[in-house]
Amino acid sequence: MRVGIAQFRASKVKSENLEKIIDFIRAASRKGVDLIVFPEYSMVYPIPKDSPASIAESIDGPFISRITDEARRNRVSVVVNFCEVCSENSKKVYDTSVLISSEGKVLLTYRKTHLFDAFKFKESALIEPGKEITGPVRLDDFNIGLLICYDIRFPEAARVLALRGCNLLCVSSAWFSGVLKEEHLLTTLRSRAIENGFYVVMANQIGPTFCGRSSIIDPFGVKLVDAGDEECMVYADLGIERVEKVRSLLPLLRQRRPELYLEVTRS
C-alpha cells in the first residue's frame, strides 16, 4: 500500500481548507497513493473559543460529504480530521477523525479520547472527549487504527489497537512547536511503532504554531519519511510482510504478561 501524508497549515476559513484537502487528494491520486492522511484540525484552526459549536458539522454534513465524493472520484482512501457536532454538550465539539475508503464510504470514526490539558493549554474547554477506542478496520492488506495527537502520549491506547489486530496506525496531529516538542513527538511515534510492531503514519500541521515533521515509521522503528517543516505531500510504500517479519523476530505482543499489569487499569 502506498501511503501519503498531507502536511499543511489550516486557516480559520473552512472553505479554504476544504479546497486544499481536495487538491492534496487529487495530487495523491496522480502519484498512485492508496491512502492519504491529513492533520488534526484540518477543517479549521483555531477553533473559535467563544462558540466552538458554530463551526461543527455532522459526519454526513457538507465537509465530509465533499471529501467522500473526492475520495471516490480519485480512488484514494482518506483519513481526515474535523470538528463534529457534539451530542453530549451543545457548547463543545468532538475532535473526530474518519477513515474514508476509495469507494467513498466512511469505514471508521474515532473521537479523540485524551484531551490536551497540559503546558497551560486546556483543550477540554472546547472539546468533549470520546468514550472509546474504535477500530481497527480492514483496508486492503492492513488493519487500520486511528488516534489523534495527544493520544499517542498514552501507550495503552495504541496497545489496545495492536491487540485487536491493528498493523497500521494513522495519527492526525496538531503538535505544537516549542522546546523539546519535536523530540517528544518523534520519540513517541517511534516508541509506539517499536513496542507494537506496526507502522505509524502521522500527519502534522506546520509552523509557526505547530512543528511539522510528519513521518512514517516502520514496525522496527525505522523512519521511512520525514516531511520537515514545509507544506508538502510525502509518501512511502508499506508492505504487510514487514509487519509479519518484525513481529516474528520480536514477538512482543505474544510475550506480554498481562497478569502482572493489573495496576495499569486501576483508577
Side-chain angles (χ1 to χ4, degrees), residues 2 7 17 21-22 24 55 62-64 69 83 90 107 122 125 153 167 173 187 198 223 245 253 262:
R2 178 166 290 182
Q7 177 169 279
N17 299 325
I21 289 167
I22 290 168
F24 273 117
I55 60 156
F63 186 81
I64 294 300
D69 288 344
C83 294
S90 61
L107 300 181
K122 194 170 179 64
R153 287 189 182 269
N167 45 37
S173 288
T187 300
F198 56 27
K223 187 188 294 183
K245 181 176 181 180
L253 297 178
L262 298 179

Side-chain angles (χ1 to χ4, degrees), residues 136-200:
V137 296
R138 189 79 171 182
L139 187 70
D140 297 332
D141 291 334
F142 288 93
N143 294 321
I144 310 292
L146 305 178
L147 291 177
I148 300 171
C149 202
Y150 195 52
D151 285 328
I152 65 168
R153 287 189 182 269
F154 299 85
E156 298 89 348
R159 177 53 55 86
V160 164
L161 287 169
L163 292 174
R164 293 177 184 172
C166 176
N167 45 37
L168 199 171
L169 177 65
C170 296
V171 183
S172 295
S173 288
W175 198 277
F176 285 104
S177 56
V179 177
L180 290 178
K181 288 296 187 69
E182 287 185 27
E183 288 298 318
H184 280 209
L185 175 60
L186 298 175
T187 300
T188 304
L189 292 172
R190 292 188 69 204
S191 297
R192 298 296 85 83
I194 293 167
E195 67 201 11
N196 293 296
F198 56 27
Y199 287 101
V200 175

Side-chain angles (χ1 to χ4, degrees), residues 174-236:
W175 198 277
F176 285 104
S177 56
V179 177
L180 290 178
K181 288 296 187 69
E182 287 185 27
E183 288 298 318
H184 280 209
L185 175 60
L186 298 175
T187 300
T188 304
L189 292 172
R190 292 188 69 204
S191 297
R192 298 296 85 83
I194 293 167
E195 67 201 11
N196 293 296
F198 56 27
Y199 287 101
V200 175
V201 178
M202 185 278 299
N204 195 23
Q205 293 212 35
I206 57 173
T209 305
F210 305 107
C211 67
R213 303 300 299 274
S214 300
S215 300
I216 299 177
I217 313 294
D218 95 341
F220 209 58
V222 177
K223 187 188 294 183
L224 302 180
V225 296
D226 184 327
D229 60 2
E230 300 293 330
E231 180 173 302
C232 63
M233 181 183 71
V234 294
Y235 57 87

Side-chain angles (χ1 to χ4, degrees), residues 93-132:
V93 300
Y94 296 121
D95 184 350
T96 302
S97 287
V98 292
L99 169 61
I100 301 165
S101 75
S102 58
E103 289 78 35
K105 296 179 180 179
V106 176
L107 300 181
L108 180 61
T109 301
Y110 171 70
R111 295 168 176 165
K112 188 176 186 179
T113 51
H114 300 88
L115 300 186
F116 184 58
D117 288 1
F119 293 101
K120 299 181 180 180
F121 193 87
K122 194 170 179 64
E123 204 169 47
S124 62
L126 307 174
I127 294 169
E128 186 73 19
K131 299 298 189 288
E132 61 178 333

